Amino acid sequence: MNQPMAIDELVSVAQAEAMGELDAPMMAIVLSSEQSYDLPINSLETDADKARWGLILRAAREHVEADAVAVLYPAWTTIRHKKPENAAADAAEAMPEDNGEEAEPSDPIDTLFVQLHTRDHVYWRGFEQIRDPKHQRIIGFRRIKALSTDYKRDEAPSVTAWLSTLFEPLPDEGEETEVDRELADLLEEPEVSAALYPRQMRALH
C-alpha cells in the first residue's frame, strides 16, 4: 500500500461522505490487501467508548489480516498558538487536547479529522468544515496545516492512545486470554459482523 497515496484517498472519501451533511459521519475503514471494510462508529465521547472501539477495531483488523486502519471523525478543536520570542519563532501547537499554559487559544474550529494507522506510522490530517450560513450544511473544507502531521507509531500523540493495541501480536497458538475472548465476542456483534463485508458487496444487500 502506498501510504501517502492512501491518506489522500481517505481524505477524499471522508470529505465525500460529509459533503452536504449537517454532521460529518464518524467511521473506521479497515484496509486489507484486497478489500476495505467500513465500520460506523456511534460514539467516542468517553474513555469507555474509546476502549470498546479500540477492541472492536483490533478484532476487525485481525479478522481480515489488515495492515492499516483509518478513522474519520468530526471534533471541535482549539489550536493553541505559542507566544513567539520573536517574529520568526511563531508556531502553532497542533494537538487537539493540548492544555499547555504558555499558549493563547484560538476560537474552536469545527474540524474533520482523518487518521491512517499502519504498523509503523500514524498519518493525521485535519480540515476545517465550511458550512452554508443559512442551512449549516457542510459545503467545503479548508486544510489546517497545524493539524496535518505524520508520526512514527511510538511517537504518536496521547490523543491516539485508544488505538495503541491495533497491531499487538496475537497470543501464542493455544493460548487464550480474557481480552481475546472479548475480541471474539465483539466480532459477533451485529454492527461489527454486518460491517465486515467489502463496500461493494454491502451495496448489493
Side-chain angles (χ1 to χ4, degrees):
M1 179 176 59
N2 185 317
Q3 292 164 356
M5 182 182 295
I7 186 65
D8 291 340
E9 292 175 351
L10 289 165
V11 165
S12 296
V13 169
Q15 292 181 350
E17 294 280 351
M19 191 69 75
E21 300 293 333
L22 290 171
D23 294 298
M26 191 180 307
M27 62 186 294
I29 304 176
V30 181
L31 300 159
S32 73
S33 59
E34 298 181 355
Q35 303 286 357
S36 64
Y37 306 83
D38 300 353
L39 286 85
I41 297 175
N42 50 19
S43 176
L44 293 174
E45 291 185 9
T46 68
D47 289 342
D49 290 335
K50 292 178 180 178
R52 178 174 179 273
W53 277 100
L55 282 173
I56 287 174
L57 295 182
R58 179 190 166 193
R61 187 204 64 75
E62 291 179 354
H63 184 67
V64 299
E65 300 180 345
D67 289 322
V69 174
V71 182
L72 324 174
Y73 64 97
W76 284 97
T77 309
T78 299
I79 301 176
R80 294 181 177 272
H81 298 275
K82 286 187 175 179
K83 298 177 181 179
E85 295 180 1
N86 54 61
D90 193 9
E93 283 295 321
M95 292 318 307
E97 61 176 28
D98 177 20
N99 294 314
E101 296 296 329
E102 299 179 2
E104 296 179 344
S106 63
D107 293 332
I109 300 172
D110 190 8
T111 310
L112 172 66
F113 283 109
V114 181
Q115 294 177 15
L116 173 62
H117 293 255
T118 70
R119 294 181 183 276
D120 300 318
H121 291 84
V122 177
Y123 300 85
W124 188 315
R125 301 291 182 266
F127 299 85
E128 180 180 1
Q129 300 182 124
I130 310 302
R131 294 179 179 273
D132 173 2
K134 182 176 180 180
H135 302 290
Q136 290 301 303
R137 294 189 178 276
I138 299 168
I139 59 173
F141 302 90
R142 181 184 296 115
R143 182 167 174 174
I144 305 171
K145 188 175 181 181
L147 298 177
S148 299
T149 311
D150 299 341
Y151 300 93
K152 291 183 178 179
R153 187 152 194 86
D154 58 359
E155 298 173 356
S158 60
V159 73
T160 65
W162 64 283
L163 290 172
S164 61
T165 63
L166 264 180
F167 296 95
E168 284 190 358
L170 290 167
D172 293 335
E173 186 175 354
E175 178 183 347
E176 185 179 54
T177 67
E178 183 177 346
V179 169
D180 296 297
R181 288 191 290 274
E182 186 173 356
L183 288 172
D185 291 341
L186 286 169
L187 278 174
E188 298 301 319
E189 292 192 11
E191 64 184 341
V192 179
S193 58
L196 289 178
Y197 285 94
R199 181 176 299 188
Q200 61 266 39
M201 287 180 63
R202 286 206 313 281
L204 300 175
H205 287 54

